[in-house]
Amino acid sequence: MATKREDGEDFPEEAFAYVPDPESPSTWKLRLWDSLDERETAAQVGRAVAALGQGGFRGNRVEIPEDDLPGVKRRVLDAWLQTHPDETREDAPEVLKGYGYEMKDDDEYGDDSSRRRL
């Protein structure tokens, strides 16, 4: 089984929101697990959410092909809900709002770059 080494640990593909090629860990993006012991944490999922956002995480916005974006956002949203048990889908970060809904120009969620079917 392939793993990707980050922060001194070897993470399996299940730790990432985007795994386009399971045999090529260099393609894996958006780690959701903080560590092998803790798995998903609010902090690590928050980093993934930030990377999806317009400003990126620490200025680095993740590049995901548009066709793959719905599945990636679904995984990140699921992890966000898991790490925020008292929250609902309506409370999700803006970049995840509207996931699965048709966006219109007058929608209150998202920025211009997210106004497409997610």
Side-chain angles (χ1 to χ4, degrees), residues 18-82:
Y18 183 59
V19 180
D21 181 356
E23 299 301 318
S24 182
S26 64
T27 66
W28 304 356
K29 298 179 183 179
L30 291 177
R31 182 166 49 100
L32 300 172
W33 292 10
D34 203 355
S35 70
L36 294 173
D37 294 330
E38 291 184 81
R39 299 207 175 205
E40 289 95 346
T41 64
Q44 188 63 35
V45 172
R47 292 177 190 109
V49 169
L52 284 167
Q54 196 169 25
F57 175 66
R58 296 186 179 163
N60 295 310
R61 187 171 187 195
V62 67
E63 293 183 21
I64 306 288
E66 189 171 337
D67 289 347
D68 295 333
L69 200 53
V72 170
K73 285 192 174 189
R74 181 180 316 112
R75 289 229 30 213
V76 175
L77 177 60
D78 288 346
W80 188 88
L81 289 168
Q82 180 181 333

Side-chain angles (χ1 to χ4, degrees), residues 32 50 73 77 86-87 99-100 114:
L32 300 172
K73 285 192 174 189
L77 177 60
D86 297 331
E87 306 289 341
Y99 157 74
S114 67

